[in-house]
Amino acid sequence: MLEHALLYFIPVKGDPPPTGTSHTKEQVPKCVAAGSGAGMTCGGEFLKIQPGTGDNLLREDRALGYTDYVLWSTFKPLDLGIDGELDMECLDSGMVLLMDPIAALQGDILEAVLEQAYGDRSLDTVFLLGD
């Protein structure tokens, strides 16, 4: 069961995106498999996963057996300011419904979020913060 927010870094390997842009969901798997520079980290994104508050479940969701959910957001750094603040741009976000949140392991939740956010459950991740 997820009780607190988790923060991951999703490294992107291969050729870096053009300056001022980031990889899209479709580019992440392609960047990992890219020939030129493959294996070299060329940036990445942050992925935040947090437990839902319970108020986004619809009656239809409950009828289908869903009892909880997690919210996820992907971010990319924009600028590390002179004051040390890291400005971030939200790239995408979503919600993954859970049928049995007590039995849902952190790794299972991460895989479900990766599938929804990037279309690939097996992307490399670096755990940064959380329980």
Side-chain angles (χ1 to χ4, degrees):
M1 176 180 210
L2 189 64
E3 295 182 7
H4 302 285
L6 305 172
L7 183 65
Y8 294 88
F9 179 70
I10 312 296
V12 178
K13 300 180 187 314
D15 297 324
T19 303
T21 66
S22 78
H23 292 284
T24 65
K25 288 193 287 189
E26 293 77 26
Q27 290 171 313
V28 171
K30 292 176 187 169
C31 184
V32 171
S36 175
M40 300 296 292
T41 299
C42 64
E45 299 172 355
F46 291 94
L47 171 65
K48 180 177 81 171
I49 303 172
Q50 65 189 53
T53 59
D55 58 351
N56 280 349
L57 284 177
L58 303 174
R59 200 172 299 136
E60 297 85 11
D61 297 331
R62 293 186 191 280
L64 292 171
Y66 294 107
T67 58
D68 205 355
Y69 59 92
V70 294
L71 302 170
W72 60 267
S73 301
T74 57
F75 299 89
K76 79 167 186 172
L78 290 177
D79 181 37
L80 181 58
I82 194 165
D83 58 1
E85 289 195 26
L86 181 60
D87 292 329
M88 303 282 263
E89 173 189 2
C90 183
L91 302 171
D92 200 2
S93 61
M95 179 172 77
V96 173
L97 298 173
L98 304 171
M99 288 198 170
D100 189 358
I102 294 172
L105 301 174
Q106 185 173 314
D108 296 334
I109 292 171
L110 174 61
E111 286 181 359
V113 169
L114 288 173
E115 178 68 35
Q116 189 178 92
Y118 298 100
D120 185 351
R121 299 174 84 87
S122 63
L123 282 178
D124 290 336
T125 60
V126 178
F127 179 75
L128 298 175
L129 293 170
D131 289 341

